[in-house]
Amino acid sequence: MSDFQQPSTVIVQHGDRKNSVRKNSIAAEDMTHVAAVPTNIAQDAAKAANAETSMTLREGLKLYPCAVAWSVAISACIIMEGFDIVLINSLYGLPAFQKRYGQEQPDGSYSVSAAWQSGLSNGALVGEIAGLMFVGYAAEKFGYKKTMIAALIWIILCIFLAFFAQNLTMLLVGEILCGISWGAFQTLTTTYASEVCPVALRHYLTTYVNLCWVFGQFLASGALKGVADKMGPIAYKLPYGLQWIWPVPLIVVLALAPESPWWLVRQGRKDDAKHSLLRLTSAKGNPDFDPDETINMMIYTTELEKAHTKSASYAACFRGVDLRRTEIVCVVWAIQTLCGSAFMGYSTYFYEQAGLDVSSAFSLSLGQYSLGAVGTIISWFLMGWFGRRTLYLWGQIILAGLLIVIGCVGILPRTNTGASWGIGSMMLIYTFLYDATVGPVCYSLVAEMASTRLRNKSVVLARNLYNITGLIANVLTPHMLNPQSWNWGAKAGFFWAGSCILCATWTYFRLPEPKGRTYAELDILFDAKVSARKFKTTEVQSFANISETSMDTTYPSEKHDTDVQIERSMW
């Protein structure tokens, strides 16, 4: 069955004869691979899945208040990455940084070359790629908590290199080494958020990661505006030193936080998973919530994925059904860069090249990231109304239109003050709409589309493709904006508009809608090769036809007198 086949058609082969049977739904027994689990686990899983999919936002907040609190606290790690990414890209527009590390120009001003701008911006991404690959193994072996604590300790040491950098080479090494920790933050904050909460809260907590990114960008712009008129070393050292504020409090938070119950289930530690789940919920005294049922749902989903995935390696991400899921999460995250968001990372420098003075440029950057925070909060409501796929698609279409407008205004002479402020205004609108659509929705999609067994490694691969596209953008953008290079200025909007249109085309044909689906339902939809455009309307019966058999099936150390498997229907 191709990816674009109608989901309601199931091809069943009897001998040499094939029959096409039209169905309006897909059930677990229709799948090539089924989960073989004890009777009590299958029944509990069905109950927990029904309870979770029918849970409202208010009920979710009432039952999982601790999960929300821990996820929000741990997601603060991503603030550090957002802070530094904006910091290094905005320092190019800081006079003190330009004079300390730049070259004198014929007019007496100083400027960091486009080559070094690309190198410094890409240094962090190179480190992130290395860190991400390591995290994919470490997190699955040691758990999310230990891996994150190790990354925080590492970054405390690496900030010293950036703070005391004597030249651009030393600063580059510092950025690369810091990037290793940022790679861990990028992956684990998202996956942890997706695994500690029910369906009703999943998109709020995963997209909150984007809000933390925006907070980091805002704080970096505020710090740089505060030192914009300074000419000594304090102007560029103070912003780097501020990064030491975060690691120690976050280490304490992580040491106290519960481990992901999904990770514990994958390790076969059912009792520990239950204890962790109880710490994430207010289940005590709640007669409507049975933690054993929720844990058994996790076990059922894990066994369902084991049935069609032999291993949990990186290679497994490119085999069978998981190849499509890997494609989706990778391209979804790459779209964050390819839709033109590179403009935002260079916003201060971009505003200056558009003709604004330094103070006005930093002020606009602050306003830009404030709007980004507001946009992320609004996205929580938009996702509830329209779903992930619709919001992601229309977000790209609207952003492409804005980029075309920016390119058109960029044709006007830079001496035109009105045109400069017009470009700045368009960038503010672009940031708001980006952070109301593409920016935060990406985090929700990436966390939901990957299978639970391969989630860490799938997110690693996705983030690495994002970093690779970031490397390309960081090579191209300085040349586009730098007066000593291509000198496109705002006309670069045309280039990114074309890229954004291509991304929207892929989204229409390849991106499914995961709204309201449990992880088991998503597994079944992908296994059935349902078309991306039919995910939303296809009914899934993920726990149908449970019956007793004599098959001996147990989960880790448990043994039952009666074991079952979910039988496949014959058409």
Side-chain angles (χ1 to χ4, degrees), residues 168 174 260 269 338 344 400 407 500 528 555 559:
L168 288 174
S260 163
R269 296 162 56 182
L338 299 177
M344 294 189 299
C500 197
Y555 177 77
K559 183 73 178 175

Side-chain angles (χ1 to χ4, degrees), residues 55 57-73 192 196-198 201 205 258 277-284 286 289:
M55 186 181 297
L57 172 60
R58 179 176 295 180
E59 291 170 343
L61 290 172
K62 184 178 180 180
L63 183 58
Y64 284 83
C66 297
V68 173
W70 286 118
S71 178
V72 166
Y192 184 86
V196 298
C197 61
L201 300 179
L205 295 183
L277 180 63
L278 288 172
R279 291 188 61 198
L280 291 166
T281 63
S282 58
K284 292 182 179 179
N286 188 338
F289 178 76

